[in-house]
Amino acid sequence: MTETTTGPVLHTRFTETFGVDHPIVQGGMQWVGRAELVAAVANAGALGCLTMLTQPTPEALVKEIARTRDLTDRPFGVNFTILPSISPPPYAEYRDAIIESGITIVETAGNAPTEHVEVFRPAGVKVIHKCTSVRHAVKAQELGVDAVSIDGFECAGHPGEDDVTGLVLIPLTAQRLDIPVIASGGIADARGLVAALALGADAVNMGTRFLCTVESPVHHQVKEAIVAATERDTELIFRPLRNTARVASNSVSREVVARLEEGAVFEDVRHLVAGARGKQVYEVGDTDLGIWSVGQSQGLVHDIPTVAELVDRILGEAGDIISGRLAAMTRTSI
Ligand SMILES: Cc1cc2nc3c(=O)[nH]c(=O)nc-3n(C[C@H](O)[C@H](O)[C@H](O)COP(=O)(O)O)c2cc1C
């Protein structure tokens, strides 16, 4: 059941704190973070996260956790996305289901996780809070989280409103925090991993790259579209509403951008951005059916490997960069 990678081992504060072999995280992905992908990531020695809100009820999440455990005996986490909502999902019930299922790692994202951290940590659950600014990272550390995942402007999903890229955000966050930092956004290969470690991070988080793997439970045509796309093929929707999201560029996302720029309000585009339409993209494989998240890092994605092949390749190439290219640069000249 367990596939171990053959690449070099990179020990960091992240691997120590979370008890996984490699400093690589597969963060929350709506409709994608299901048992098949998460178990494959865990079996490859990295940290996979189920996506809580992909499951319609806390009971369904409990079943998905059990399904993942049937596929792996390694640790995995659950993404706990806290959305601003008029009728929010039953967060406290999901939280209790996670604790009762014996999950020991949670990735929170979105709104401040204050009330949830206060329950998770005494229950023995380690919390990684994902955010998009240094000030929110500092606040999360003050709340007592175990690690911060810092998402740069390149990322898929919600990059925040500051538009600061990882090259600046990662070292600034690492400098301000005492807890492990996970670099997120724009990372899809060994070069990104080594760069993130050099910038002060203890691990990397990848969404887009894991979306485009064999075990990712989305239609093959979506994966082929990612391989064909370039780094320029994303749109930033909801900018005027200050709830920016980076998504694939298609007829729907371009229409949303255009209509909001012309002064439309959310109600005018609600039918275009409905989650059910985005879900259909993954099921049917028609990438123009709705809104789906993808990052600029799709420009770095050129194939559809298994998760084990991907993790293996990243670690192998990271070793080559560190002990080959970089080591050669440090030789003293005579
Ligand atoms: C298809 C997809 C769905 C995502 N859904 C979520 C989500 O529900 N919650 C969340 O916290 N992050 C979500 N993200 C963001 C990722 O967890 C991660 O932060 C981001 O993908 C990093 O940027 P990258 O795609 O360049 O690796 C999603 C990303 C993708 C690609």
Side-chain angles (χ1 to χ4, degrees):
M1 195 194 291
T2 298
E3 302 162 47
T4 41
T5 53
T6 52
V9 176
L10 290 170
H11 288 294
T12 70
R13 293 187 303 169
F14 169 83
T15 58
E16 265 171 42
T17 306
F18 294 96
V20 293
D21 293 345
H22 308 305
I24 298 177
V25 182
Q26 167 258 309
M29 283 190 274
Q30 182 66 333
W31 310 128
V32 182
R34 299 174 189 269
E36 292 76 13
L37 177 61
V38 173
V41 174
N43 285 335
L47 178 63
C49 296
L50 288 174
T51 304
M52 174 180 85
L53 295 180
T54 294
Q55 302 304 323
T57 60
E59 295 73 35
L61 177 63
V62 170
K63 284 191 188 142
E64 194 68 2
I65 291 170
R67 214 162 70 77
T68 313
R69 288 207 176 111
D70 286 342
L71 301 171
T72 186
D73 50 13
R74 302 275 190 105
F76 61 90
V78 174
N79 167 274
F80 194 100
T81 297
I82 309 158
L83 301 166
S85 170
I86 305 162
S87 53
Y91 284 117
E93 288 171 33
Y94 275 109
R95 187 184 64 211
D96 294 345
I98 290 169
I99 294 170
E100 280 160 25
S101 293
I103 290 289
T104 56
I105 304 169
V106 159
E107 176 197 56
T108 56
N111 285 3
T114 318
E115 66 191 271
H116 305 295
V117 173
E118 283 165 5
V119 181
F120 277 135
R121 293 211 68 245
V125 179
K126 291 191 170 128
V127 178
I128 299 169
H129 183 60
K130 188 166 63 185
C131 56
T132 60
S133 71
V134 180
R135 62 191 184 283
H136 290 140
V138 169
K139 195 171 160 217
Q141 175 170 279
E142 284 165 9
L143 285 179
V145 304
D146 299 276
V148 159
S149 198
I150 190 81
D151 236 346
F153 186 51
E154 308 92 327
C155 73
H158 291 274
E161 308 305 321
D162 293 347
D163 304 359
V164 181
T165 60
L167 209 53
V168 170
L169 212 43
I170 299 161
L172 282 178
T173 306
Q175 194 178 311
R176 290 289 301 278
L177 301 194
D178 303 317
I179 54 177
V181 170
I182 302 160
S184 180
I187 298 160
D189 57 29
R191 296 168 296 183
L193 169 61
V194 175
L197 297 176
L199 291 171
D202 302 277
V204 295
N205 176 44
M206 303 190 298
T208 301
R209 180 60 273 197
F210 280 118
L211 173 62
C212 197
T213 56
V214 169
E215 292 89 343
S216 160
V218 305
H219 199 285
H220 196 70
Q221 280 164 215
V222 175
K223 302 175 192 179
E224 284 170 354
I226 294 172
V227 170
T230 78
E231 70 280 11
R232 301 177 67 221
D233 298 324
T234 69
E235 301 291 335
L236 293 170
I237 59 168
F238 302 150
R239 286 243 95 168
L241 309 178
R242 293 192 61 76
N243 184 25
T244 301
R246 188 181 294 285
V247 301
S249 182
N250 63 16
S251 54
V252 183
S253 61
R254 288 191 293 270
E255 185 178 343
V256 172
V257 170
R259 290 183 67 173
L260 291 176
E261 272 174 8
E262 286 160 13
V265 294
F266 181 75
E267 280 310 314
D268 302 324
V269 298
R270 183 192 282 273
H271 62 291
L272 294 170
V273 302
R277 285 181 68 152
K279 191 178 175 208
Q280 261 205 311
V281 167
Y282 299 135
E283 288 168 0
V284 179
D286 179 347
T287 53
D288 266 318
L289 274 182
I291 296 292
W292 54 285
S293 299
V294 79
Q296 292 180 331
S297 62
Q298 67 180 343
L300 298 166
V301 173
H302 306 300
D303 61 357
I304 308 167
T306 65
V307 166
E309 282 164 359
L310 176 67
V311 171
D312 229 21
R313 184 205 301 169
I314 291 178
L315 289 165
E317 291 181 3
D320 292 345
I321 295 171
I322 295 165
S323 54
R325 187 161 190 272
L326 298 184
M329 288 176 184
T330 61
R331 274 186 212 135
T332 45
S333 55
I334 37 170

